[in-house]
Amino acid sequence: LFLGSSCIYPKFCEQPIKEEYLLQGGLEKTNESYALAKIAGIKLCEALINQYSFDAISIMPTNLYGPGDNYHPENSHVLPGLIRRFHEAKIDKKDAVICWGSGSPKREFLHVQDLAEASVFLLENWKPSSDSSSLSWVNIGTGSDITIKELAEKIKSVVGFDGEIKWDKSKPDGTPQKKLDVTLINKIGWSSKISLDEGLKRTYQDFKIENQIT
């Protein structure tokens, strides 16, 4: 099993993003090198399947979150970063939390437990054919997305921060939308089970346990 990423797809491709959109346009410049490394892995697996019938599948998850995440204040991803920011603002009794960008970009989030279950399910139930016209990779996601502004409001509520959210529009927004088409994995027989609301509650509890917060 080769673990890829939704960032392999073009920056401005149609939504939701189908597996077939790979290499149909330019990548997001800020993570181009990472995306190219993942694409190389997909194509290596594909070549081994076609030439040697090598038993490999590649999975492309959307944005992940959950237990054991990186909550670092400077180099974390958006969701765990917001959890720390809102928590610290609550503890310090701040009046506001400043978030980057406009809050308008839309993102899809998948709990890591769902990814783990999808990975095992696909290993046991999906085998791409050695026909070069068939796909050797599959998207894994929830099939729904949310604006960063809506995400911030949800995290603010879960954490219990009473202050204001301010948006620093001088900071970049990045790709405007990234929602995966999960038709293929749904047809194979798997769909996500953990809602974002439930997942955020679990993740905040994990954050408090990890940081020994009562």
Side-chain angles (χ1 to χ4, degrees), residues 82 85-86 97-101 152 165-169 171:
L82 286 175
R85 195 171 300 177
F86 279 110
V97 165
I98 299 173
C99 298
W100 279 25
I165 301 176
K166 295 182 178 179
W167 295 91
D168 182 358
K169 295 182 180 179
K171 303 298 184 182

Side-chain angles (χ1 to χ4, degrees), residues 57-171:
I57 60 173
S58 298
I59 60 176
M60 303 301 120
T62 188
N63 299 287
L64 301 170
Y65 72 100
D69 212 332
N70 172 22
Y71 301 101
H72 192 277
E74 295 176 4
N75 59 26
S76 61
H77 289 134
V78 60
L79 193 154
L82 286 175
I83 287 177
R84 172 175 284 279
R85 195 171 300 177
F86 279 110
H87 175 79
E88 291 180 346
K90 181 181 75 170
I91 297 303
D92 296 339
K93 297 181 170 56
K94 291 184 177 179
D95 295 327
V97 165
I98 299 173
C99 298
W100 279 25
S102 66
S104 63
K106 303 185 81 172
R107 293 291 182 271
E108 178 183 8
F109 296 94
L110 181 73
H111 194 277
V112 289
Q113 184 63 41
D114 272 340
L115 173 64
E117 292 182 4
S119 299
V120 173
F121 176 85
L122 288 168
L123 284 167
E124 294 176 343
N125 295 281
W126 187 57
K127 184 176 179 66
S129 112
S130 59
D131 179 354
S132 60
S133 65
S134 65
L135 292 171
S136 63
W137 67 96
V138 59
N139 291 337
I140 301 180
T142 63
S144 61
D145 56 8
I146 185 174
T147 66
I148 298 300
K149 185 173 288 186
E150 291 169 326
L151 176 68
E153 292 288 351
K154 283 182 179 290
I155 293 175
K156 173 186 172 181
S157 176
V158 167
V159 171
F161 174 66
D162 295 326
E164 185 183 357
I165 301 176
K166 295 182 178 179
W167 295 91
D168 182 358
K169 295 182 180 179
S170 68
K171 303 298 184 182

Side-chain angles (χ1 to χ4, degrees), residues 16-36:
I17 305 170
K18 298 179 182 293
E19 285 88 354
E20 293 88 346
Y21 295 167
L22 181 65
L23 298 177
Q24 298 301 306
L27 300 166
E28 161 62 44
K29 288 295 181 183
T30 58
N31 57 22
E32 184 181 61
S33 298
Y34 177 78
L36 287 170

